[in-house]
Amino acid sequence: MCTVLRLGDPRLRQSASPVPEEWFGGSQLTALLTDLRDTMAARDGAGLAAPQIGILRRVVIYGITSNPRYPDASPIPETVLINPRLTPVGTATQLGWEGCLSVPGLRGQVRRWQALHIAWRDPSGEEREAVVDGFHARVVQHECDHLDGVLFPDRLESPTAFGFEQELEEAGPLEPASTPGLKKAGDWI
Ligand code: NI
């Protein structure tokens, strides 16, 4: 397990480099994926990008298993995106609360594309593609922002829709319905 860098660390603001061809199928990539997987699990995260553990390569991992704390959460199988390219599908957007392991305790409302085409390489080097939507699309956009040095507070819908989780919950704006099915979704990506 690795330390997750927090907002203020300049490494979170750098643009990550593509994974080079010679990494596919090799031990360097396997070791990075093990670090990402272990760190995400230890922090109860739904997603983690390599720059968050100080590795400036275009790799993200995410997944949601069924969790008794979040009985309505739709599971997302564990997915590794290497050198991902995102293209919005349609023009619809969704507004929802996000948080980040690199911005602990804080949550903010962010507008994201509702649906997304993703093209990427898997760890063996295979070209893959998929269309995702809803919370899955939100996680992918949040994680891939990390590869360009962008954190969710950069994308706030409004500076007033931002604050500490406990205060937002007590004051009311942070409703379970704001992220369908997932009360605490924003905490872990
Ligand atoms: Ni994050």
mmCIF file of all heavy atoms in Angstrom, residues 112-149:
data_model
loop_
_atom_site.group_PDB
_atom_site.id
_atom_site.type_symbol
_atom_site.label_atom_id
_atom_site.label_comp_id
_atom_site.label_asym_id
_atom_site.label_seq_id
_atom_site.Cartn_x
_atom_site.Cartn_y
_atom_site.Cartn_z
ATOM 1 N N ARG A 112 -20.738 16.607 -15.008
ATOM 2 C CA ARG A 112 -19.992 15.680 -15.880
ATOM 3 C C ARG A 112 -20.857 15.279 -17.066
ATOM 4 O O ARG A 112 -22.087 15.346 -17.003
ATOM 5 C CB ARG A 112 -19.635 14.409 -15.099
ATOM 6 C CG ARG A 112 -18.769 14.603 -13.867
ATOM 7 C CD ARG A 112 -17.348 14.948 -14.219
ATOM 8 N NE ARG A 112 -16.485 14.939 -13.021
ATOM 9 C CZ ARG A 112 -15.191 15.234 -13.058
ATOM 10 N NH1 ARG A 112 -14.601 15.558 -14.205
ATOM 11 N NH2 ARG A 112 -14.482 15.219 -11.957
ATOM 12 N N TRP A 113 -20.210 14.777 -18.108
ATOM 13 C CA TRP A 113 -20.957 14.182 -19.213
ATOM 14 C C TRP A 113 -21.746 12.975 -18.698
ATOM 15 O O TRP A 113 -21.225 12.178 -17.914
ATOM 16 C CB TRP A 113 -20.015 13.738 -20.333
ATOM 17 C CG TRP A 113 -19.272 14.860 -20.961
ATOM 18 C CD1 TRP A 113 -17.938 15.132 -20.852
ATOM 19 C CD2 TRP A 113 -19.823 15.895 -21.778
ATOM 20 N NE1 TRP A 113 -17.629 16.278 -21.552
ATOM 21 C CE2 TRP A 113 -18.772 16.762 -22.132
ATOM 22 C CE3 TRP A 113 -21.107 16.182 -22.254
ATOM 23 C CZ2 TRP A 113 -18.960 17.891 -22.940
ATOM 24 C CZ3 TRP A 113 -21.294 17.304 -23.057
ATOM 25 C CH2 TRP A 113 -20.230 18.147 -23.396
ATOM 26 N N GLN A 114 -22.966 12.853 -19.178
ATOM 27 C CA GLN A 114 -23.811 11.739 -18.760
ATOM 28 C C GLN A 114 -23.308 10.407 -19.336
ATOM 29 O O GLN A 114 -23.348 9.379 -18.675
ATOM 30 C CB GLN A 114 -25.260 11.997 -19.223
ATOM 31 C CG GLN A 114 -26.231 10.863 -19.000
ATOM 32 C CD GLN A 114 -26.513 10.607 -17.529
ATOM 33 O OE1 GLN A 114 -26.481 11.528 -16.726
ATOM 34 N NE2 GLN A 114 -26.776 9.354 -17.174
ATOM 35 N N ALA A 115 -22.878 10.451 -20.587
ATOM 36 C CA ALA A 115 -22.443 9.214 -21.258
ATOM 37 C C ALA A 115 -21.126 9.472 -21.980
ATOM 38 O O ALA A 115 -20.858 10.585 -22.448
ATOM 39 C CB ALA A 115 -23.506 8.732 -22.244
ATOM 40 N N LEU A 116 -20.356 8.413 -22.081
ATOM 41 C CA LEU A 116 -18.960 8.560 -22.486
ATOM 42 C C LEU A 116 -18.522 7.329 -23.269
ATOM 43 O O LEU A 116 -18.839 6.199 -22.887
ATOM 44 C CB LEU A 116 -18.180 8.591 -21.177
ATOM 45 C CG LEU A 116 -16.885 9.310 -21.016
ATOM 46 C CD1 LEU A 116 -17.060 10.782 -21.345
ATOM 47 C CD2 LEU A 116 -16.415 9.146 -19.571
ATOM 48 N N HIS A 117 -17.821 7.570 -24.379
ATOM 49 C CA HIS A 117 -17.118 6.469 -25.047
ATOM 50 C C HIS A 117 -15.684 6.476 -24.535
ATOM 51 O O HIS A 117 -15.037 7.522 -24.493
ATOM 52 C CB HIS A 117 -17.146 6.658 -26.564
ATOM 53 C CG HIS A 117 -16.382 5.615 -27.317
ATOM 54 N ND1 HIS A 117 -15.041 5.752 -27.618
ATOM 55 C CD2 HIS A 117 -16.755 4.415 -27.799
ATOM 56 C CE1 HIS A 117 -14.636 4.662 -28.273
ATOM 57 N NE2 HIS A 117 -15.663 3.837 -28.399
ATOM 58 N N ILE A 118 -15.214 5.303 -24.122
ATOM 59 C CA ILE A 118 -13.836 5.171 -23.627
ATOM 60 C C ILE A 118 -13.087 4.218 -24.541
ATOM 61 O O ILE A 118 -13.593 3.128 -24.851
ATOM 62 C CB ILE A 118 -13.766 4.558 -22.212
ATOM 63 C CG1 ILE A 118 -14.935 4.970 -21.330
ATOM 64 C CG2 ILE A 118 -12.453 4.894 -21.542
ATOM 65 C CD1 ILE A 118 -15.021 4.108 -20.072
ATOM 66 N N ALA A 119 -11.904 4.590 -24.925
ATOM 67 C CA ALA A 119 -10.982 3.669 -25.602
ATOM 68 C C ALA A 119 -9.724 3.609 -24.758
ATOM 69 O O ALA A 119 -9.277 4.640 -24.228
ATOM 70 C CB ALA A 119 -10.667 4.160 -27.012
ATOM 71 N N TRP A 120 -9.173 2.424 -24.582
ATOM 72 C CA TRP A 120 -8.004 2.285 -23.720
ATOM 73 C C TRP A 120 -7.251 1.002 -24.038
ATOM 74 O O TRP A 120 -7.709 0.185 -24.837
ATOM 75 C CB TRP A 120 -8.430 2.309 -22.251
ATOM 76 C CG TRP A 120 -9.106 1.067 -21.725
ATOM 77 C CD1 TRP A 120 -8.525 0.045 -21.052
ATOM 78 C CD2 TRP A 120 -10.501 0.712 -21.824
ATOM 79 N NE1 TRP A 120 -9.462 -0.910 -20.723
ATOM 80 C CE2 TRP A 120 -10.686 -0.530 -21.180
ATOM 81 C CE3 TRP A 120 -11.631 1.322 -22.401
ATOM 82 C CZ2 TRP A 120 -11.919 -1.177 -21.089
ATOM 83 C CZ3 TRP A 120 -12.863 0.682 -22.309
ATOM 84 C CH2 TRP A 120 -12.992 -0.545 -21.659
ATOM 85 N N ARG A 121 -6.106 0.841 -23.429
ATOM 86 C CA ARG A 121 -5.357 -0.417 -23.481
ATOM 87 C C ARG A 121 -5.539 -1.133 -22.153
ATOM 88 O O ARG A 121 -5.538 -0.497 -21.099
ATOM 89 C CB ARG A 121 -3.855 -0.147 -23.690
ATOM 90 C CG ARG A 121 -3.514 0.746 -24.868
ATOM 91 C CD ARG A 121 -3.543 0.040 -26.186
ATOM 92 N NE ARG A 121 -2.540 -1.000 -26.343
ATOM 93 C CZ ARG A 121 -1.266 -0.781 -26.705
ATOM 94 N NH1 ARG A 121 -0.819 0.450 -26.891
ATOM 95 N NH2 ARG A 121 -0.441 -1.803 -26.869
ATOM 96 N N ASP A 122 -5.685 -2.435 -22.203
ATOM 97 C CA ASP A 122 -5.732 -3.185 -20.944
ATOM 98 C C ASP A 122 -4.305 -3.611 -20.569
ATOM 99 O O ASP A 122 -3.358 -3.357 -21.329
ATOM 100 C CB ASP A 122 -6.750 -4.336 -21.023
ATOM 101 C CG ASP A 122 -6.275 -5.501 -21.870
ATOM 102 O OD1 ASP A 122 -5.069 -5.565 -22.208
ATOM 103 O OD2 ASP A 122 -7.116 -6.366 -22.172
ATOM 104 N N PRO A 123 -4.115 -4.224 -19.389
ATOM 105 C CA PRO A 123 -2.734 -4.488 -18.942
ATOM 106 C C PRO A 123 -1.933 -5.401 -19.868
ATOM 107 O O PRO A 123 -0.702 -5.366 -19.858
ATOM 108 C CB PRO A 123 -2.940 -5.135 -17.560
ATOM 109 C CG PRO A 123 -4.233 -4.559 -17.079
ATOM 110 C CD PRO A 123 -5.095 -4.449 -18.302
ATOM 111 N N SER A 124 -2.642 -6.198 -20.677
ATOM 112 C CA SER A 124 -1.901 -7.044 -21.614
ATOM 113 C C SER A 124 -1.572 -6.295 -22.906
ATOM 114 O O SER A 124 -0.872 -6.828 -23.781
ATOM 115 C CB SER A 124 -2.706 -8.311 -21.930
ATOM 116 O OG SER A 124 -3.847 -7.978 -22.684
ATOM 117 N N GLY A 125 -2.104 -5.074 -23.035
ATOM 118 C CA GLY A 125 -1.826 -4.276 -24.223
ATOM 119 C C GLY A 125 -2.952 -4.295 -25.239
ATOM 120 O O GLY A 125 -2.886 -3.593 -26.251
ATOM 121 N N GLU A 126 -4.010 -5.065 -24.976
ATOM 122 C CA GLU A 126 -5.165 -5.133 -25.886
ATOM 123 C C GLU A 126 -5.860 -3.781 -25.952
ATOM 124 O O GLU A 126 -6.052 -3.134 -24.925
ATOM 125 C CB GLU A 126 -6.187 -6.158 -25.384
ATOM 126 C CG GLU A 126 -5.776 -7.600 -25.513
ATOM 127 C CD GLU A 126 -5.867 -8.088 -26.945
ATOM 128 O OE1 GLU A 126 -6.895 -7.838 -27.606
ATOM 129 O OE2 GLU A 126 -4.899 -8.706 -27.397
ATOM 130 N N GLU A 127 -6.272 -3.396 -27.164
ATOM 131 C CA GLU A 127 -7.131 -2.220 -27.336
ATOM 132 C C GLU A 127 -8.545 -2.584 -26.920
ATOM 133 O O GLU A 127 -9.073 -3.601 -27.369
ATOM 134 C CB GLU A 127 -7.137 -1.767 -28.804
ATOM 135 C CG GLU A 127 -5.912 -1.009 -29.231
ATOM 136 C CD GLU A 127 -5.900 0.449 -28.761
ATOM 137 O OE1 GLU A 127 -6.916 0.904 -28.176
ATOM 138 O OE2 GLU A 127 -4.876 1.117 -28.961
ATOM 139 N N ARG A 128 -9.150 -1.738 -26.073
ATOM 140 C CA ARG A 128 -10.521 -1.988 -25.621
ATOM 141 C C ARG A 128 -11.339 -0.728 -25.823
ATOM 142 O O ARG A 128 -10.783 0.373 -25.869
ATOM 143 C CB ARG A 128 -10.515 -2.354 -24.126
ATOM 144 C CG ARG A 128 -9.581 -3.502 -23.771
ATOM 145 C CD ARG A 128 -10.194 -4.844 -24.077
ATOM 146 N NE ARG A 128 -11.363 -5.102 -23.248
ATOM 147 C CZ ARG A 128 -11.333 -5.649 -22.033
ATOM 148 N NH1 ARG A 128 -10.181 -6.020 -21.504
ATOM 149 N NH2 ARG A 128 -12.438 -5.854 -21.357
ATOM 150 N N GLU A 129 -12.659 -0.897 -25.900
ATOM 151 C CA GLU A 129 -13.531 0.270 -25.917
ATOM 152 C C GLU A 129 -14.864 -0.074 -25.301
ATOM 153 O O GLU A 129 -15.264 -1.241 -25.265
ATOM 154 C CB GLU A 129 -13.712 0.821 -27.334
ATOM 155 C CG GLU A 129 -14.306 -0.150 -28.303
ATOM 156 C CD GLU A 129 -14.544 0.486 -29.674
ATOM 157 O OE1 GLU A 129 -14.810 1.693 -29.745
ATOM 158 O OE2 GLU A 129 -14.474 -0.256 -30.658
ATOM 159 N N ALA A 130 -15.546 0.956 -24.785
ATOM 160 C CA ALA A 130 -16.849 0.757 -24.153
ATOM 161 C C ALA A 130 -17.559 2.098 -24.078
ATOM 162 O O ALA A 130 -16.937 3.157 -24.166
ATOM 163 C CB ALA A 130 -16.673 0.189 -22.740
ATOM 164 N N VAL A 131 -18.891 2.004 -23.947
ATOM 165 C CA VAL A 131 -19.687 3.190 -23.644
ATOM 166 C C VAL A 131 -20.243 3.005 -22.236
ATOM 167 O O VAL A 131 -20.782 1.947 -21.908
ATOM 168 C CB VAL A 131 -20.825 3.378 -24.667
ATOM 169 C CG1 VAL A 131 -21.772 4.500 -24.230
ATOM 170 C CG2 VAL A 131 -20.250 3.689 -26.048
ATOM 171 N N VAL A 132 -20.068 4.025 -21.403
ATOM 172 C CA VAL A 132 -20.546 3.952 -20.015
ATOM 173 C C VAL A 132 -21.384 5.192 -19.743
ATOM 174 O O VAL A 132 -21.272 6.206 -20.431
ATOM 175 C CB VAL A 132 -19.379 3.848 -19.011
ATOM 176 C CG1 VAL A 132 -18.570 2.583 -19.257
ATOM 177 C CG2 VAL A 132 -18.475 5.073 -19.082
ATOM 178 N N ASP A 133 -22.233 5.108 -18.712
ATOM 179 C CA ASP A 133 -23.005 6.295 -18.359
ATOM 180 C C ASP A 133 -23.224 6.364 -16.855
ATOM 181 O O ASP A 133 -22.766 5.503 -16.099
ATOM 182 C CB ASP A 133 -24.327 6.359 -19.142
ATOM 183 C CG ASP A 133 -25.267 5.228 -18.768
ATOM 184 O OD1 ASP A 133 -24.958 4.459 -17.831
ATOM 185 O OD2 ASP A 133 -26.323 5.113 -19.408
ATOM 186 N N GLY A 134 -23.899 7.427 -16.431
ATOM 187 C CA GLY A 134 -24.245 7.592 -15.024
ATOM 188 C C GLY A 134 -23.028 7.675 -14.117
ATOM 189 O O GLY A 134 -22.025 8.304 -14.457
ATOM 190 N N PHE A 135 -23.133 7.016 -12.972
ATOM 191 C CA PHE A 135 -22.046 7.094 -11.997
ATOM 192 C C PHE A 135 -20.750 6.496 -12.545
ATOM 193 O O PHE A 135 -19.651 6.993 -12.264
ATOM 194 C CB PHE A 135 -22.449 6.406 -10.695
ATOM 195 C CG PHE A 135 -21.420 6.549 -9.607
ATOM 196 C CD1 PHE A 135 -21.145 7.787 -9.058
ATOM 197 C CD2 PHE A 135 -20.707 5.450 -9.153
ATOM 198 C CE1 PHE A 135 -20.183 7.937 -8.075
ATOM 199 C CE2 PHE A 135 -19.742 5.586 -8.169
ATOM 200 C CZ PHE A 135 -19.483 6.837 -7.622
ATOM 201 N N HIS A 136 -20.876 5.459 -13.349
ATOM 202 C CA HIS A 136 -19.690 4.862 -13.971
ATOM 203 C C HIS A 136 -18.955 5.922 -14.810
ATOM 204 O O HIS A 136 -17.733 6.076 -14.712
ATOM 205 C CB HIS A 136 -20.142 3.674 -14.834
ATOM 206 C CG HIS A 136 -19.033 2.801 -15.309
ATOM 207 N ND1 HIS A 136 -19.208 1.465 -15.607
ATOM 208 C CD2 HIS A 136 -17.734 3.046 -15.576
ATOM 209 C CE1 HIS A 136 -18.066 0.947 -16.011
ATOM 210 N NE2 HIS A 136 -17.155 1.889 -16.006
ATOM 211 N N ALA A 137 -19.709 6.679 -15.603
ATOM 212 C CA ALA A 137 -19.099 7.736 -16.432
ATOM 213 C C ALA A 137 -18.478 8.822 -15.551
ATOM 214 O O ALA A 137 -17.419 9.371 -15.871
ATOM 215 C CB ALA A 137 -20.143 8.339 -17.361
ATOM 216 N N ARG A 138 -19.120 9.124 -14.425
ATOM 217 C CA ARG A 138 -18.567 10.124 -13.509
ATOM 218 C C ARG A 138 -17.218 9.660 -12.955
ATOM 219 O O ARG A 138 -16.246 10.425 -12.912
ATOM 220 C CB ARG A 138 -19.556 10.378 -12.354
ATOM 221 C CG ARG A 138 -19.032 11.341 -11.289
ATOM 222 C CD ARG A 138 -20.097 11.664 -10.244
ATOM 223 N NE ARG A 138 -21.252 12.314 -10.857
ATOM 224 C CZ ARG A 138 -21.306 13.630 -11.153
ATOM 225 N NH1 ARG A 138 -20.282 14.418 -10.875
ATOM 226 N NH2 ARG A 138 -22.370 14.136 -11.713
ATOM 227 N N VAL A 139 -17.144 8.417 -12.518
ATOM 228 C CA VAL A 139 -15.886 7.906 -11.966
ATOM 229 C C VAL A 139 -14.774 7.981 -13.012
ATOM 230 O O VAL A 139 -13.655 8.420 -12.719
ATOM 231 C CB VAL A 139 -16.063 6.452 -11.461
ATOM 232 C CG1 VAL A 139 -14.714 5.838 -11.097
ATOM 233 C CG2 VAL A 139 -17.017 6.417 -10.263
ATOM 234 N N VAL A 140 -15.092 7.583 -14.226
ATOM 235 C CA VAL A 140 -14.072 7.583 -15.285
ATOM 236 C C VAL A 140 -13.576 9.009 -15.552
ATOM 237 O O VAL A 140 -12.361 9.252 -15.656
ATOM 238 C CB VAL A 140 -14.624 6.940 -16.572
ATOM 239 C CG1 VAL A 140 -13.678 7.171 -17.747
ATOM 240 C CG2 VAL A 140 -14.858 5.440 -16.361
ATOM 241 N N GLN A 141 -14.504 9.973 -15.619
ATOM 242 C CA GLN A 141 -14.095 11.362 -15.876
ATOM 243 C C GLN A 141 -13.254 11.906 -14.727
ATOM 244 O O GLN A 141 -12.249 12.595 -14.948
ATOM 245 C CB GLN A 141 -15.338 12.235 -16.119
ATOM 246 C CG GLN A 141 -15.978 11.937 -17.467
ATOM 247 C CD GLN A 141 -17.358 12.559 -17.612
ATOM 248 O OE1 GLN A 141 -17.493 13.696 -18.034
ATOM 249 N NE2 GLN A 141 -18.390 11.813 -17.249
ATOM 250 N N HIS A 142 -13.657 11.592 -13.493
ATOM 251 C CA HIS A 142 -12.902 12.054 -12.325
ATOM 252 C C HIS A 142 -11.490 11.469 -12.342
ATOM 253 O O HIS A 142 -10.499 12.198 -12.157
ATOM 254 C CB HIS A 142 -13.651 11.652 -11.049
ATOM 255 C CG HIS A 142 -12.938 11.996 -9.780
ATOM 256 N ND1 HIS A 142 -13.385 12.945 -8.894
ATOM 257 C CD2 HIS A 142 -11.786 11.493 -9.236
ATOM 258 C CE1 HIS A 142 -12.540 13.031 -7.884
ATOM 259 N NE2 HIS A 142 -11.564 12.154 -8.057
ATOM 260 N N GLU A 143 -11.394 10.161 -12.575
ATOM 261 C CA GLU A 143 -10.071 9.514 -12.539
ATOM 262 C C GLU A 143 -9.175 10.014 -13.678
ATOM 263 O O GLU A 143 -7.977 10.238 -13.485
ATOM 264 C CB GLU A 143 -10.205 7.993 -12.615
ATOM 265 C CG GLU A 143 -10.893 7.344 -11.426
ATOM 266 C CD GLU A 143 -10.364 7.782 -10.085
ATOM 267 O OE1 GLU A 143 -9.180 8.118 -9.977
ATOM 268 O OE2 GLU A 143 -11.161 7.823 -9.129
ATOM 269 N N CYS A 144 -9.754 10.147 -14.866
ATOM 270 C CA CYS A 144 -8.927 10.574 -16.000
ATOM 271 C C CYS A 144 -8.502 12.033 -15.867
ATOM 272 O O CYS A 144 -7.440 12.413 -16.369
ATOM 273 C CB CYS A 144 -9.651 10.292 -17.313
ATOM 274 S SG CYS A 144 -9.766 8.506 -17.649
ATOM 275 N N ASP A 145 -9.285 12.854 -15.163
ATOM 276 C CA ASP A 145 -8.830 14.215 -14.851
ATOM 277 C C ASP A 145 -7.502 14.184 -14.087
ATOM 278 O O ASP A 145 -6.643 15.048 -14.298
ATOM 279 C CB ASP A 145 -9.871 14.932 -13.986
ATOM 280 C CG ASP A 145 -10.847 15.784 -14.798
ATOM 281 O OD1 ASP A 145 -10.678 15.909 -16.028
ATOM 282 O OD2 ASP A 145 -11.780 16.337 -14.175
ATOM 283 N N HIS A 146 -7.350 13.205 -13.190
ATOM 284 C CA HIS A 146 -6.101 13.114 -12.424
ATOM 285 C C HIS A 146 -4.892 12.969 -13.358
ATOM 286 O O HIS A 146 -3.785 13.379 -13.007
ATOM 287 C CB HIS A 146 -6.126 11.913 -11.474
ATOM 288 C CG HIS A 146 -6.889 12.137 -10.201
ATOM 289 N ND1 HIS A 146 -6.523 13.075 -9.263
ATOM 290 C CD2 HIS A 146 -7.983 11.519 -9.694
ATOM 291 C CE1 HIS A 146 -7.365 13.031 -8.234
ATOM 292 N NE2 HIS A 146 -8.268 12.100 -8.469
ATOM 293 N N LEU A 147 -5.090 12.384 -14.527
ATOM 294 C CA LEU A 147 -3.966 12.167 -15.452
ATOM 295 C C LEU A 147 -3.515 13.483 -16.093
ATOM 296 O O LEU A 147 -2.425 13.555 -16.657
ATOM 297 C CB LEU A 147 -4.363 11.157 -16.532
ATOM 298 C CG LEU A 147 -4.888 9.813 -16.014
ATOM 299 C CD1 LEU A 147 -5.234 8.903 -17.182
ATOM 300 C CD2 LEU A 147 -3.874 9.138 -15.091
ATOM 301 N N ASP A 148 -4.387 14.500 -16.012
ATOM 302 C CA ASP A 148 -4.058 15.813 -16.570
ATOM 303 C C ASP A 148 -3.839 16.856 -15.471
ATOM 304 O O ASP A 148 -3.843 18.062 -15.749
ATOM 305 C CB ASP A 148 -5.179 16.275 -17.510
ATOM 306 C CG ASP A 148 -5.301 15.375 -18.734
ATOM 307 O OD1 ASP A 148 -4.249 14.947 -19.256
ATOM 308 O OD2 ASP A 148 -6.435 15.085 -19.155
ATOM 309 N N GLY A 149 -3.680 16.395 -14.240
ATOM 310 C CA GLY A 149 -3.406 17.323 -13.143
ATOM 311 C C GLY A 149 -4.618 18.129 -12.704
ATOM 312 O O GLY A 149 -4.475 19.197 -12.110
#
